Amino acid sequence: MIVLTKVLLCGVALAFLVARGASASAESRAYVTNEKSNDLSVIDTAARRVVATIKVGDRPRGIAVTPDGARVYTANANSADLTVIDTTTLTAIATVPDSCFFASALA
């Protein structure tokens, strides 16, 4: 079972992902967007330490985790795009430009 909670605190988007029955390293992580440095911190909540810092677009403000926990998405305000992050490799695997959203909304 995956539990996802989304919190906005002091301008920092924080998403908790708790995966029960997953490997020990993936059991509990927090994903925190850092607006000033344009990256995402991945925190091991059990060990209480940052395990990865991933570059994303300019001024990441929103964050979402897929129900299966496989992907994290950041909405980047100043670069007007989304960054897609693989939670297994903890790397950015794609950038989706804003124009894709407008094209699909108009279709």
Side-chain angles (χ1 to χ4, degrees), residues 17 20 24 27 44 53 59 64-65 69 87 91 93 97 101:
L17 173 68
R20 302 200 189 283
E27 273 190 30
D44 177 330
T53 302
R59 197 173 181 209
V65 181
T87 60
T91 57
I93 59 171
F101 301 113

Side-chain angles (χ1 to χ4, degrees), residues 16-90:
F16 287 101
L17 173 68
V18 179
R20 302 200 189 283
S23 68
S25 64
E27 273 190 30
S28 63
R29 288 184 178 159
Y31 299 94
V32 182
T33 58
N34 305 303
E35 287 188 31
K36 298 284 185 183
S37 55
N38 301 322
D39 54 26
L40 174 88
S41 295
V42 181
I43 300 167
D44 177 330
T45 59
R48 296 184 179 184
R49 66 181 183 89
V50 175
V51 294
T53 302
I54 305 162
K55 278 299 202 187
V56 296
D58 295 342
R59 197 173 181 209
R61 301 204 70 202
I63 190 167
V65 181
T66 57
D68 65 359
R71 302 280 188 267
V72 171
Y73 298 90
T74 64
N76 310 307
N78 290 358
S79 55
D81 56 21
L82 289 176
T83 301
V84 183
I85 297 162
D86 181 305
T87 60
T88 302
T89 62
L90 297 178

